[in-house]
Amino acid sequence: MATFQLELVSPEKLLLSRAVEMAVLPAAEGEMGVLPGHAPMIITLRGGVIAVTEGGQVTERLFVAGGFAEVTPGRCTVLADEATPVGQLSKAAAETRVREAEAAYAAAAMDTPEKREATMTRLLTARAMVLAAEAA
């Protein structure tokens, strides 16, 4: 089966760099599959899970808290704001993040639309983290 190079980079380190068959990314517009030969593009990521397929099955699931991905026919580079293997997520910690994000969103009710949108993005990311932790 054809492969492409997948690289996942967070501010702390290079988390993954290897040839894979497919990656499903949490694009801002919805789930997006990347296969070898994909058209070049730059994608905004929302909080969610990247699923990596090798040998015909999902071998790795990583939670990302937003970022960007650059896709070319032979490579996909993900620049994640934060990335954690799904198996290492803590449901309790994720639920704490939801509560903090809900409080921040409520406090931003009278702020500018941009600040409200940023707090809503933070809340949606925290909720996605809870769902990923429950599924682990």
Side-chain angles (χ1 to χ4, degrees), residues 61 85-89 130-136:
R61 293 170 40 83
V86 169
Q88 293 178 16
L89 291 177
V130 169
L131 291 175
E134 288 174 345

Side-chain angles (χ1 to χ4, degrees), residues 68-116:
F68 295 91
E70 179 185 21
V71 180
T72 67
R75 175 181 304 274
C76 176
T77 303
V78 176
L79 305 170
D81 298 337
E82 171 188 342
T84 308
V86 169
Q88 293 178 16
L89 291 177
S90 158
K91 185 177 177 209
E95 288 172 340
T96 297
R97 282 174 80 153
V98 168
R99 286 191 297 278
E100 291 169 352
E102 285 172 343
Y105 184 69
M110 300 309 287
D111 275 336
T112 64
E114 294 80 14
K115 285 187 181 175
R116 285 198 310 273

